Amino acid sequence: MSRKSLDFSVVVPVHNSEDSLKELFLGIKACFEKLERSYEVVFVNDYSRDKSWKVLEELHLAYPDEVRAISLSRNFGQHNAIFCGFTFVQGMQVITMDDDLQNPPEEIPKLIEAAEKHESDLVYGVPSRKQHSASRRAGSKVLHKSSHVLFDGPGNGSSFRLISRRLVDQLLKHHHNFIYLDELLNWYTRSISFVDVEHRPRPYKRSGYSNRSLFRLVSNIVMYYTNLPLRLIVYGGFLFSFVSFIIGLFFIYRKIVHEVPLGFTAQIVAIFFSTGLILLSLGVIGEYLSRIYALQQKKPPFSIKKAL
């Protein structure tokens, strides 16, 4: 089957979801059969520890024309796994969705309808209320707000999205070892639409995302895709230089007018404060150097162990 010969490709990153995969595929299958559109489902197994790969092999055996399955050699993360799936898609439009059934396949027509109505390159399915824990909702909110502030992005995206094939082909030009899809998508297009979708409670197992992993994701996004910490060093340097200059004038004035000794404590505090600021700045610069080193190594964003 030639590339770009299908109407839709659905890319699903898979991680420890053996219980939901068959149900998810059958839901996608029923959806596109009802729409009478051609489709394929590209599952990317992101180094699952359970029997997810075995389930995918069974699905591919039962539906060889509709199911593609790729297994990565280690865990690369959700965005890198989706990026891997993009290299295999044949559809004219690409839909990404999670493997946990929280975004039911029955909501896919809403994405398609919005894309056709607004002629959008990108359509996000935004749940009116996410069925996560309070802490997880707070973490996701921080992530999306950070994206909005740092990249002037939409601020309310999700992993349930429809992307035009033209946009997917542009994304494939990137070869960073750390991929954050929403920033790349936002860089290439402003033709973005949003549609309300249902978000159901997770029927099997718990989410692999924790607040710690979300914090690590935000940290990597800031370091790989922005120069915000470096700008803060510059602005902070100007600010503390100005404050130090004012404090210096104050002590000089006291010394001349009142003949007050500067004092050992004031000197020690000044030394420790300035030294701490210098070490913090060097630490930030070191983080950027480590990222630059990683990029210079030109490591691929994923490594495939097996593909069906």
Side-chain angles (χ1 to χ4, degrees):
M1 189 175 290
S2 63
R3 195 169 173 84
K4 296 186 181 182
S5 61
L6 298 172
D7 293 326
F8 293 96
S9 294
V10 181
V11 177
V12 181
V14 175
H15 187 67
N16 297 335
S17 298
E18 58 180 337
D19 298 320
S20 60
L21 293 176
K22 288 184 179 179
E23 185 177 346
L24 174 62
F25 171 74
L26 292 176
I28 295 172
K29 180 175 180 292
C31 171
F32 283 107
E33 287 179 349
K34 185 177 181 179
L35 292 173
E36 296 182 347
R37 303 284 190 97
S38 59
Y39 73 98
E40 65 175 355
V41 184
V42 181
F43 291 101
V44 183
N45 179 39
D46 194 19
Y47 202 68
S48 297
R49 297 289 188 174
D50 61 2
K51 298 179 181 178
S52 293
W53 180 247
K54 183 178 180 180
V55 175
L56 293 179
E57 288 181 321
E58 293 173 355
L59 283 173
H60 175 72
L61 186 63
Y63 305 96
D65 294 330
E66 291 83 11
V67 174
R68 290 185 172 212
I70 299 98
S71 184
L72 302 183
S73 59
R74 68 172 181 82
N75 183 265
F76 286 89
Q78 181 188 42
H79 290 254
N80 289 53
I82 294 173
F83 190 82
C84 171
F86 286 166
T87 64
F88 287 87
V89 296
Q90 300 180 99
M92 296 301 294
Q93 290 182 304
V94 179
I95 296 169
T96 68
M97 62 189 305
D98 293 335
D99 58 356
D100 54 15
L101 290 172
Q102 289 196 274
N103 291 119
E106 302 88 71
E107 298 292 272
I108 289 176
K110 292 183 179 180
L111 299 180
I112 299 172
E113 182 180 352
E116 293 175 347
K117 180 179 179 181
H118 302 290
E119 297 183 352
S120 303
D121 289 327
L122 174 63
V123 179
Y124 281 108
V126 181
S128 54
R129 177 174 173 78
K130 290 188 175 182
Q131 299 297 323
H132 294 308
S133 64
S135 60
R136 171 66 192 281
R137 289 199 302 270
S140 298
K141 188 173 182 179
V142 169
L143 175 61
H144 292 141
K145 291 299 181 184
S146 300
S147 175
H148 176 65
V149 172
L150 295 174
F151 312 121
D152 190 27
N156 57 345
S158 73
S159 56
F160 187 45
R161 40 171 118 71
L162 183 148
I163 312 170
S164 69
R165 183 51 187 268
R166 179 190 66 82
L167 193 53
V168 168
D169 288 340
Q170 289 178 319
L171 293 181
L172 290 176
K173 298 176 184 178
H174 290 264
H175 296 285
H176 300 312
N177 62 326
F178 174 76
I179 300 293
Y180 182 58
L181 290 174
D182 293 302
E183 193 280 330
L184 295 178
L185 291 167
N186 182 66
W187 193 89
Y188 275 110
T189 186
R190 285 293 189 271
S191 178
I192 304 173
S193 297
F194 302 90
V195 61
D196 291 332
V197 296
E198 181 184 0
H199 195 255
R200 297 175 180 174
R202 191 181 179 100
Y204 308 104
K205 298 181 180 179
R206 296 179 60 184
S207 173
Y209 270 112
S210 63
N211 288 333
R212 181 181 178 182
S213 61
L214 287 173
F215 175 78
R216 187 166 58 248
L217 177 61
V218 172
S219 301
N220 282 327
I221 291 169
V222 170
M223 286 295 181
Y224 274 101
Y225 288 96
T226 77
N227 63 351
L228 177 63
L230 294 177
R231 292 208 308 267
L232 290 177
I233 289 177
V234 174
Y235 298 148
F238 278 122
L239 174 62
F240 287 113
S241 296
F242 177 75
V243 172
S244 299
F245 178 73
I246 298 300
I247 294 174
L249 290 178
F250 172 73
F251 279 111
I252 291 173
Y253 169 79
R254 291 188 63 190
K255 177 68 175 177
I256 295 174
V257 176
H258 302 288
E259 296 185 358
V260 177
L262 294 179
F264 178 75
T265 302
Q267 294 181 33
I268 291 298
V269 170
I271 290 172
F272 274 100
F273 182 78
S274 59
T275 303
L277 182 62
I278 291 171
L279 291 176
L280 174 63
S281 302
L282 290 176
V284 172
I285 294 172
E287 284 293 320
Y288 272 99
L289 289 176
S290 68
R291 264 59 174 191
I292 293 172
Y293 175 71
L295 292 176
Q296 288 299 316
Q297 288 182 312
K298 297 182 179 179
K299 292 181 180 179
F302 56 85
S303 173
I304 297 173
K305 180 180 179 180
K306 189 175 183 180
L308 302 178

